[in-house]
Amino acid sequence: METPRERWIGQDAGPVVRPYAVTRGRTRPRGIVIDLVTILVATGRPAEQFSLSREQRRLLELCRRPSTPADLASEIDLPFRVVQILLEDLFQYGLIEETAPAEQPDRPDPRILMRVLDELRRL
């Protein structure tokens, strides 16, 4: 009797793992919603007391430098929604936090940008 074989997509791809398996069955965030451009950084709290997945440990490691969820999803090659759910867990454990972007005085006024966008739409 043969043992069942794992399903492989390609030689280098490895076995197929469904995204909901990585998030423990969740498909949507439960609490806070972390958007694409939120700047996150690790708090430095010890993570040993939490049962973190391999992906969460990798995200925590990457958050040692301020990073956005979009960059993190690209870095670990997972769908954004999966990364969003994993980051939410890390946030609730107090292992990462949101940082305020530095004020940049040379940034254009958002009202002016909205007016430009409105005028472009009228063209």
Side-chain angles (χ1 to χ4, degrees), residues 102-116:
E103 290 296 319
Q104 298 177 352
D106 58 342
R107 269 188 109 160
D109 185 348
R111 293 175 295 192
I112 293 172
L113 293 175
M114 288 304 294
R115 285 182 55 198
V116 169

Side-chain angles (χ1 to χ4, degrees), residues 76-115:
I76 67 169
D77 198 28
L78 284 174
F80 175 73
R81 181 63 86 177
V82 172
V83 171
Q84 190 179 32
I85 292 168
L86 296 176
L87 288 171
E88 178 192 25
D89 289 343
L90 294 176
F91 190 85
Q92 288 181 351
Y93 296 153
L95 298 175
I96 61 172
E97 64 186 1
E98 182 178 352
T99 62
E103 290 296 319
Q104 298 177 352
D106 58 342
R107 269 188 109 160
D109 185 348
R111 293 175 295 192
I112 293 172
L113 293 175
M114 288 304 294
R115 285 182 55 198

